[in-house]
Amino acid sequence: MKLRVLLTIGLVGTSCFAVERKLTPVMGWSSWNSFGSNITKSNILAQADAIVKLGLRECGWEYINIDDCYQMGRDEKTGRLKINLEKFPNGEADLKYIADYCHKNGLKAGMYSDGGDNCCASSNKKPFGLNVGLYRHEKEDLEMFLGEGPGCWGYDFIKIDWCGGGHAKLKDSDQYNKIMDVIDDIEKRTGKDKIINICRWAYVGPWQFRADSWRSGPDIDMSGRSWESVMVQVDIMKEVWPYTRPGSMNDPDMLVCGLGLTPVEDLSHFAMWCMFSSPLLIGQDLLKIKPETLELYKNRELIALNQDKAVLSAAYLGEAAPGVEIWLKPLGCERSPVRALALLNRNSSETEVEFSYSDIGYPETVKARDLVRHVDLKPAKSRKVKLAPHGIDVVKLEPATGNLRVITPFAGAVRTKHLRSAVIERTRRIDWVNAARMVEAGALLLDVRSSEEFAAGHVQGAVNVPHTAISSAGKALSDTNRTVVAYCAIYKRAAQAAAVLDMMGFKRVYFVGDGYSKYSTEKQPTLADVKVELSSLKFHSAWPVARGKKNTSWNGKKINIRGIEYEKGVGTDATFHGDGSVTMVDIPAKATHFVSMVGRDRDISWSKANTAMFEVFADGKLLASSPEIGWDDDYLFSVKLPAGAKVLKLVTKGVPNGTHCSWGGAGFVVK
């Protein structure tokens, strides 16, 4: 079991604690969607009683969390947080009593604050919530909320909002890290794990992995009547699912089941949160819960998905039919053949789906268990089901024949157009020639293979961070302004790592398309090796007409790429229709390589924000392509030509029209 070991050494009266961390998502109840600002001592205690009496505690629901609006400003002399006495007549004593009451009844208690000056419900103007946030009161407030002993309340969980942080114009990473440093110290002294939920409304950087969970997007509609609001959270998970891991997970906000959705929509909502391994916090007054909603929250088989020890989020794989989404979640470990499959119908009409299990990597007959109806299904190679409007089908799968061959993790996920990783795969792929250029200019070369693969051989100067540990690498990957070039054995893990780095806020991320398997120290031809200049050859006629201008930019100026001028080359206007801007020439006899520096030409400056991509073909076969090229980028093509190749085609594609691009110093290396 993973432990966060917190040590104090050499100090009189101090202790050494091993704090056992909660690695699976929290389950419980939270006040905001139920009561908003109308919380009181009595209605909070009533929820604690209900969660026990209704049998929810026995199913894993254990947290009772107080959200905003218990405060009433601060004491002007001491700075101590004041409590709203109309809601909590005995002030701090009532809040401590609630925590103690929860603990006495086998529950845990959660508290709320803001990382900045004011709380969210104050709207930065209502007196009760002004200056009640943690800013400038981090140590005293957190000690009061989470600490043990006199003056402390002993809560187990804290949600930390960011309305006041934005108001105070604080840097989120600095302030949240300061807060988490204080909480780490409290854990060290108490020996107790304190759950941290960051409510920053988005994934904004790797520092968030210090928390137990973070809000992955905007607030869900607390009225519980908006199916679309639930689907917004689902769509966000298409981008951020790779970040979830034991002890650190995405939070698509509190549950709104039972508040206004249909029972079918409630099931889909709850089941997807379980598939995501997200925190489960009931947002309904438990005294008013309907039998069907209670039955849903006591579905132990869906809960088991949420609490699976691997704590992996389901990944979106595409559509089984128009409007029916496929989500797949490994159980036990990433490469486990036991998985949960969800088919989510986003249509407003009943939809019949027949889905082949081979589409997600199962080569033979599959055993399936329906986790909603609690029945084992007949072993089969496919699943045919009618889905109600906004309905869902959730089944647990495993090979029926005993063939436990390893299935590719999240088979197909990186190929969907909805995931950022697909964009990275298309626009950030480079070769070893340009990787070496970038590293020489200061880029970090990142080997994302396993430590064992790295030890067996790697590129000199590379730093090893396995692709599954990218998001929790800490200081090794903390400078988001630095260019990073990732590589693995071939390219898949590197592409996924680059996508995660991109989501973590790294501004310039690339991956080596050929991977370590093609790494070579052999010198590749450069511009100095060109013997036959491209501009000296006759261009073919081709569509579009913008074939390229010899030895000038498209505007007739000297070719200028990233501030470097080239006497020879070809200037183009990278149109975005058809095949882009095309230049075609006959390949000289005995030519072995085509070499060129490419990039945005600086003959015009009004289109700095535009980007372009370059491609090299021989006899219709794509030989090489550039990553997405911006104003301050360049890329060196050093392309080996196939033996006997006859015609070279050069393509530039840009968005929008008017993106001028040049092939600087372009030509052929000949024997």
Side-chain angles (χ1 to χ4, degrees):
M1 182 171 288
K2 181 180 177 182
L3 298 177
R4 178 165 60 192
V5 181
L6 304 172
L7 304 177
T8 56
I9 302 174
L11 299 177
V12 175
T14 59
S15 302
C16 171
F17 290 110
V19 179
E20 184 176 337
R21 298 201 65 197
K22 179 173 177 56
L23 303 181
T24 55
V26 299
M27 297 174 58
W29 174 91
S30 185
S31 66
W32 187 253
N33 289 350
S34 305
F35 300 113
S37 61
N38 300 314
I39 53 172
T40 64
K41 175 184 179 181
S42 60
N43 61 29
I44 298 296
L45 291 175
Q47 302 304 308
D49 288 337
I51 210 167
V52 175
K53 292 178 181 178
L54 293 170
L56 289 169
R57 181 185 62 183
E58 282 64 40
C59 296
W61 304 88
E62 59 177 346
Y63 284 81
I64 299 293
N65 293 349
I66 299 173
D67 210 284
D68 204 353
C69 300
Y70 61 88
Q71 321 92 324
M72 187 53 72
R74 289 189 182 273
D75 187 286
E76 294 182 1
K77 294 182 179 179
T78 66
R80 183 89 170 175
L81 196 65
K82 295 196 298 184
I83 308 305
N84 187 321
L85 298 181
E86 291 184 4
K87 301 176 180 181
F88 302 92
N90 299 304
E92 287 188 36
D94 280 347
L95 290 169
K96 176 170 173 51
Y97 177 83
I98 289 171
D100 291 343
Y101 188 84
C102 288
H103 296 155
K104 180 181 177 181
N105 286 278
L107 303 171
K108 297 183 183 298
M111 183 45 62
Y112 169 94
S113 190
D114 192 285
D117 50 9
N118 307 328
C119 69
C120 283
S122 73
S123 301
N124 294 317
K125 60 184 180 182
K126 299 176 183 177
F128 78 89
L130 299 182
N131 298 311
V132 300
L134 294 172
Y135 183 46
R136 296 195 179 100
H137 300 276
E138 294 86 359
K139 290 186 178 180
E140 54 266 41
D141 281 6
L142 290 168
E143 184 68 26
M144 177 175 65
F145 296 150
L146 306 174
E148 307 287 336
C152 299
W153 305 347
Y155 278 72
D156 310 284
F157 171 108
I158 185 165
K159 170 184 171 182
I160 307 171
D161 233 323
W162 193 241
C163 298
H167 177 258
K169 298 180 179 179
L170 304 178
K171 185 177 180 180
D172 49 12
S173 58
D174 289 348
Q175 179 62 1
Y176 275 115
N177 274 314
K178 183 178 181 180
I179 289 167
M180 289 186 283
D181 285 344
V182 175
I183 296 175
D184 281 350
D185 180 65
I186 293 172
E187 290 180 319
K188 176 179 66 177
R189 290 184 283 104
T190 63
K192 295 182 178 180
D193 184 26
K194 303 296 181 178
I195 302 298
I196 306 168
N197 174 259
I198 289 176
C199 191
R200 180 62 180 83
W201 322 305
Y203 175 80
V204 293
W207 55 267
Q208 287 176 275
F209 289 95
R210 291 186 65 187
D212 297 88
S213 61
W214 55 87
R215 280 280 301 282
S216 50
D219 290 354
I220 200 168
D221 183 345
M222 65 181 289
S223 73
R225 293 188 292 270
S226 173
W227 167 254
E228 292 75 18
S229 177
V230 175
M231 290 300 99
V232 166
Q233 306 300 328
V234 170
D235 285 338
I236 290 170
M237 293 300 294
K238 292 174 181 176
E239 295 289 343
V240 301
W241 62 266
Y243 302 152
T244 289
R245 63 202 60 247
S248 195
M249 60 214 65
N250 292 295
D251 173 14
D253 209 355
M254 295 167 279
L255 295 161
V256 293
C257 302
L259 295 178
L261 298 175
T262 68
V264 169
E265 291 170 339
D266 279 346
L267 170 60
S268 297
H269 171 25
F270 180 62
M272 288 306 298
W273 264 236
C274 290
M275 290 287 289
F276 295 147
S277 288
S278 295
L280 299 178
L281 292 172
I282 296 171
Q284 179 186 15
D285 183 349
L286 293 175
L287 302 184
K288 301 177 181 179
I289 194 168
K290 297 177 181 178
E292 59 266 29
T293 310
L294 179 61
E295 181 182 4
L296 175 62
Y297 284 149
K298 296 172 81 170
N299 184 325
R300 292 178 182 268
E301 294 194 82
L302 289 179
I303 290 172
L305 298 184
N306 179 264
Q307 296 292 303
D308 182 72
K309 65 180 182 180
V311 194
L312 293 168
S313 173
Y316 171 65
L317 305 188
E319 292 190 335
V324 179
E325 295 183 349
I326 307 166
W327 292 82
L328 190 66
K329 175 186 176 69
L331 300 174
C333 67
E334 186 178 4
R335 288 185 173 271
S336 170
V338 181
R339 302 188 169 194
L341 169 70
L343 299 176
L344 174 65
N345 183 17
R346 298 183 65 155
N347 299 314
S348 298
S349 57
E350 183 179 79
T351 305
E352 184 173 75
V353 176
E354 186 165 11
F355 180 76
S356 174
Y357 295 136
S358 64
D359 290 343
I360 52 173
Y362 288 95
E364 300 174 1
T365 303
V366 171
K367 290 194 299 183
R369 178 166 176 81
D370 188 322
L371 302 184
V372 175
R373 298 164 186 83
H374 311 295
V375 294
D376 292 324
L377 305 176
K378 183 179 179 180
K381 293 185 177 182
S382 63
R383 172 81 164 140
K384 187 174 183 179
V385 62
K386 285 185 178 180
L387 297 169
H390 299 167
I392 197 168
D393 181 61
V394 186
V395 290
K396 182 178 178 181
L397 308 175
E398 60 182 295
T401 61
N403 180 1
L404 301 182
R405 79 176 184 91
V406 174
I407 306 168
T408 303
F410 301 117
V414 298
R415 295 194 295 271
T416 72
K417 64 182 180 180
H418 300 272
L419 295 178
R420 178 63 182 168
S421 51
V423 177
I424 296 298
E425 184 172 342
R426 186 175 67 251
T427 63
R428 304 290 182 86
R429 185 169 181 158
I430 65 173
D431 58 22
W432 278 113
V433 171
N434 286 277
R437 294 178 64 236
M438 291 180 181
V439 171
E440 186 176 0
L444 172 66
L445 185 61
L446 189 66
D447 187 318
V448 300
R449 300 174 299 159
S450 68
S451 56
E452 292 80 9
E453 290 173 293
F454 183 81
H458 59 271
V459 180
Q460 185 175 358
V463 173
N464 180 224
V465 179
H467 80 292
T468 54
I470 292 290
S471 55
S472 56
K475 292 183 179 180
L477 293 172
S478 59
D479 184 1
T480 56
N481 291 312
R482 188 178 183 185
T483 300
V484 178
V485 177
Y487 76 90
C488 66
I490 42 176
Y491 96 96
K492 182 177 181 181
R493 286 176 288 175
Q496 294 178 2
V500 173
L501 288 166
D502 179 81
M503 291 189 221
M504 287 166 61
F506 283 80
K507 298 175 179 61
R508 292 173 59 86
V509 181
Y510 302 89
F511 69 97
V512 180
D514 292 329
Y516 187 68
S517 62
K518 296 294 181 67
Y519 175 71
S520 173
T521 57
E522 181 181 349
K523 184 180 181 296
Q524 299 299 310
T526 66
L527 294 177
D529 299 309
V530 169
K531 299 300 182 183
V532 179
E533 295 160 358
L534 180 67
S535 57
S536 69
L537 302 174
K538 182 180 178 180
F539 291 176
H540 291 201
S541 295
W543 175 261
V545 177
R547 298 190 301 268
K549 295 187 176 181
K550 295 181 178 182
N551 300 328
T552 72
S553 71
W554 188 250
N555 271 0
K557 299 179 181 180
K558 184 172 287 188
I559 292 172
N560 186 322
I561 300 171
R562 205 168 62 86
I564 300 173
E565 294 184 340
Y566 296 83
E567 293 292 335
K568 304 292 183 178
V570 176
T572 70
D573 182 3
T575 56
F576 189 63
H577 62 283
D579 205 16
S581 182
V582 176
T583 301
M584 297 176 67
V585 299
D586 291 334
I587 297 173
K590 298 184 179 181
T592 61
H593 291 77
F594 170 74
V595 182
S596 179
M597 189 69 73
V598 299
R600 295 284 319 284
D601 202 294
R602 299 202 172 188
D603 62 348
I604 53 174
S605 59
W606 54 264
S607 62
K608 286 185 177 181
N610 297 354
T611 60
M613 295 182 69
F614 298 74
E615 297 173 333
V616 179
F617 294 79
D619 296 336
K621 180 181 179 181
L622 178 65
L623 301 183
S625 60
S626 76
E628 195 173 64
I629 299 292
W631 182 257
D632 294 318
D633 301 323
D634 61 16
Y635 192 81
L636 178 63
F637 279 116
S638 183
V639 183
K640 186 175 181 179
L641 299 171
K646 301 297 184 182
V647 178
L648 183 82
K649 181 172 76 171
L650 306 178
V651 178
T652 55
K653 297 179 179 180
V655 182
N657 292 349
T659 303
H660 294 182
C661 300
S662 291
W663 300 77
F668 295 91
V669 177
V670 296
K671 292 180 181 178

